[in-house]
Amino acid sequence: MLAAMLIREATLHDWPRMWAFMEGIVRAGETFSWDRDTTESQAKQMWFPKPPGRTFVAIDAGGTILGTANSVRNHRGGAAHISSASFMVDPARSGQGVGRALGEHVLKQARKDNFRAMQFNAVVETNTRAVALWRSLGFEVMTTLPAGFHHPAHGYVGLHIMHRKL
Amino acid sequence: MLAAMLIREATLHDWPRMWAFMEGIVRAGETFSWDRDTTESQAKQMWFPKPPGRTFVAIDAGGTILGTANSVRNHRGGAAHISSASFMVDPARSGQGVGRALGEHVLKQARKDNFRAMQFNAVVETNTRAVALWRSLGFEVMTTLPAGFHHPAHGYVGLHIMHRKL
């Protein structure tokens, strides 16, 4: 982890610097179950969910945005105690602990917000770094939807549903 | 199954007669992961998803609405081939095969729409009739989120994720 990484709530002012690396991740279509032609405006709307949803950025000492995450209620009503979250790290900053720091922060905030569990609905099984990271943060693969994801290079692969109690 | 049950796409004109029985189901909070104080306007917006989402009603020979269902894309991008669906049957029409007829219709339409799987994200385990119905229509319980649903009478119960290929 970078010595001086800070995680804070994102603002719309941060958006252009977030989208700068998010766009490539969305267009690649390898790890996110978003349409690859999602427009910037749609992406912004999805990435800044209404409260109690939250959006975070990880920044270094110079204020550069290294990665971003958001968290939402995964369900409502009787299942409103389950949260979910999504993460994108600038590929240029890969391997520096940004995803882990964001994951830990999101878990901590979800506990503060009185959620009792966190669920990831769609973790592409070929995204092995993410799967390993979430496992190391206490998530379990609850099930794998067979042929749940069509990967641009690998064809149909499994889609994990991951979960942990908070 | 009623001799003369018909299933067709719902229109906004049908809404007041749909909400007449849907409201009690939402307010009870026992089977749907919706906020129990969901307003009629929010409910209408959720129940009539944008295309490729669809909304159906089951009606009898006299035009009475017996139940309703909707179907949506459960994910986008590389997982856009997975659909999902929701069902509400008028409790006064329970046990007459309305849910089964709606289920069969939604599956058939999803195949026509080129979906490759259908996933139910939140089936309350105490809703045993629904669980049995979906099993009989080929769905499997892929996993059960422990304490995934807070039931007004039973407290925390499991929340099934069910799935079938199309």
Side-chain angles (χ1 to χ4, degrees):
Chain A
M1 183 166 161
L2 290 176
M5 197 187 315
L6 172 79
I7 295 175
R8 61 161 171 79
E9 301 253 350
T11 68
L12 288 173
H13 179 74
D14 298 318
W15 174 254
R17 293 183 300 145
M18 295 158 66
W19 182 242
F21 62 84
M22 290 173 69
E23 182 172 9
I25 296 168
V26 173
R27 300 284 171 254
E30 296 181 347
T31 55
F32 259 73
S33 53
W34 284 19
D35 292 328
R36 292 171 73 176
D37 60 357
T38 297
T39 65
E40 179 175 350
S41 150
Q42 291 167 331
K44 184 160 67 171
Q45 194 176 8
M46 288 194 282
W47 204 254
F48 281 93
K50 289 179 194 156
R54 295 178 181 275
T55 309
F56 304 97
V57 284
I59 58 174
D60 70 11
T64 299
I65 297 176
L66 310 169
T68 178
N70 71 19
S71 62
V72 294
R73 290 200 295 175
N74 200 45
H75 292 293
R76 302 195 171 203
H81 57 287
I82 307 177
S83 59
S84 189
S86 299
F87 300 84
M88 293 198 200
V89 173
D90 184 344
R93 308 294 174 158
S94 174
Q96 295 176 30
V98 180
R100 176 175 300 275
L102 283 165
E104 287 170 350
H105 188 88
V106 164
L107 285 166
K108 192 171 151 188
Q109 185 63 53
R111 276 188 206 100
K112 277 191 202 164
D113 290 342
N114 295 314
F115 286 104
R116 296 169 64 104
M118 186 171 288
Q119 178 182 345
F120 299 151
N121 300 298
V123 183
V124 181
E125 69 176 352
T126 49
N127 189 4
T128 51
R129 282 179 70 157
V131 175
L133 173 58
W134 305 141
R135 281 191 197 276
S136 79
L137 288 178
F139 287 82
E140 266 183 88
V141 173
M142 302 296 285
T143 188
T144 304
L145 304 174
F149 190 83
H150 191 261
H151 189 286
H154 305 302
Y156 283 102
V157 298
L159 194 61
H160 294 319
I161 295 173
M162 301 187 76
H163 176 272
R164 70 156 289 170
K165 290 193 183 172
L166 296 177
Chain B
M1 184 167 160
L2 290 177
M5 198 188 314
L6 172 78
I7 296 176
R8 61 162 171 79
E9 302 254 349
T11 68
L12 288 174
H13 179 72
D14 298 316
W15 173 256
R17 293 183 299 145
M18 295 158 66
W19 182 242
F21 62 84
M22 291 173 69
E23 181 172 9
I25 296 168
V26 173
R27 301 283 172 255
E30 295 181 348
T31 54
F32 259 74
S33 54
W34 284 19
D35 292 327
R36 292 171 72 176
D37 60 357
T38 297
T39 65
E40 179 176 350
S41 148
Q42 291 167 332
K44 185 160 67 172
Q45 194 176 8
M46 288 194 282
W47 204 253
F48 281 92
K50 288 179 193 154
R54 295 178 182 274
T55 309
F56 304 97
V57 284
I59 58 174
D60 70 11
T64 300
I65 297 177
L66 310 169
T68 178
N70 70 19
S71 62
V72 294
R73 290 201 295 175
N74 201 45
H75 293 292
R76 303 195 170 204
H81 58 286
I82 306 177
S83 59
S84 188
S86 300
F87 300 84
M88 293 198 200
V89 172
D90 183 345
R93 308 294 174 157
S94 175
Q96 295 176 28
V98 179
R100 175 175 301 274
L102 283 165
E104 287 171 350
H105 188 88
V106 164
L107 284 166
K108 193 170 150 189
Q109 185 62 55
R111 277 188 205 101
K112 277 191 202 162
D113 290 341
N114 294 314
F115 286 104
R116 296 169 64 102
M118 186 172 287
Q119 178 182 345
F120 299 151
N121 300 298
V123 182
V124 181
E125 70 175 350
T126 49
N127 190 4
T128 51
R129 283 179 69 157
V131 175
L133 174 58
W134 305 140
R135 282 191 196 274
S136 80
L137 289 177
F139 287 83
E140 266 183 87
V141 173
M142 302 296 284
T143 188
T144 303
L145 304 174
F149 190 82
H150 191 261
H151 189 286
H154 305 302
Y156 283 102
V157 298
L159 195 61
H160 295 319
I161 294 173
M162 301 188 76
H163 176 273
R164 70 155 289 171
K165 292 193 182 170
L166 295 178

